[in-house]
Amino acid sequence: DLHRVDRRQRQMCIRDSIKAVIRSVSDEVKALNEGDEIYYDRHAGHTIEFDKEQYTVIKIQDIVVVL
């Protein structure tokens, strides 16, 4: 079963990821909400600066775990 991942693989996915809190979500994304905690691939996205704060913009397929 391709959807089944053993414990070691899950730990590797999280270890190679970055934890974040969602600040804003596109209207087209239904599965995520503002304030959700996620882990995403550390090589994903790009950083922008807005009002002297830095944000990382990522694609939904780069999210590893939603808490």
Side-chain angles (χ1 to χ4, degrees), residues 15-63:
R15 192 174 335 125
D16 293 335
S17 302
I18 296 173
K19 185 177 182 180
V21 175
I22 296 178
R23 299 291 300 255
S24 180
V25 181
S26 167
D27 293 336
E28 298 171 7
V29 177
K30 305 297 181 202
L32 300 172
N33 297 304
E34 190 174 313
D36 285 350
E37 290 186 10
I38 62 167
Y39 283 90
Y40 66 92
D41 180 22
R42 79 172 60 244
H43 303 290
H46 59 279
T47 303
I48 61 169
E49 187 173 322
F50 181 74
D51 288 339
K52 298 185 181 182
E53 286 196 52
Q54 293 208 348
Y55 299 92
T56 302
V57 179
I58 61 171
K59 296 179 182 178
I60 194 164
Q61 63 260 28
D62 293 322
I63 295 175

Side-chain angles (χ1 to χ4, degrees), residues 4-21:
R4 215 168 158 196
V5 179
D6 70 27
R7 183 176 181 200
R8 185 173 179 210
Q9 288 172 315
R10 283 193 308 265
Q11 289 172 342
M12 287 172 43
C13 285
I14 291 174
R15 192 174 335 125
D16 293 335
S17 302
I18 296 173
K19 185 177 182 180
V21 175

